[in-house]
Amino acid sequence: MFEDRFEPEATLKLLERERVTQVLGWPHMGAALANHPTFRDRDLSSIRATTLVELLPPDKRSGIPHSDRTPLE
């Protein structure tokens, strides 16, 4: 599944609605998604693999490079 352009709110809605299991993107995208006001209200539990560590719950980040990163505030 691909988007024509990146917009955090639309991407979060898509990830949740379509129950996406794998997400690829650049670090600035992960930060934008994790810092979006609705991020904590989204059910992204379907995500199993991602280059955007910020999207995973802390208990699923172990063993992932840069998993100690926290979203930008």
Side-chain angles (χ1 to χ4, degrees):
M1 187 166 289
F2 295 92
E3 295 182 290
D4 291 332
R5 67 185 194 120
F6 175 72
E7 195 285 306
E9 184 169 7
T11 299
L12 287 168
K13 286 179 181 178
L14 177 73
L15 294 173
E16 183 176 38
R17 180 182 68 244
E18 299 299 328
R19 307 287 301 150
V20 174
T21 59
Q22 188 172 23
V23 182
L24 305 174
W26 296 102
H28 73 280
M29 294 171 150
L33 294 170
N35 289 319
H36 191 273
T38 66
F39 177 74
R40 295 195 188 281
D41 299 326
R42 300 286 178 180
D43 177 6
L44 303 178
S45 60
S46 62
I47 297 173
R48 301 288 180 248
T50 182
T51 59
L52 306 176
V53 176
E54 296 87 352
L55 301 183
L56 294 173
D59 63 320
K60 294 190 177 184
R61 294 181 188 178
S62 65
I64 297 174
H66 307 291
S67 63
D68 57 339
R69 254 188 349 207
T70 56
L72 302 175
E73 298 195 9

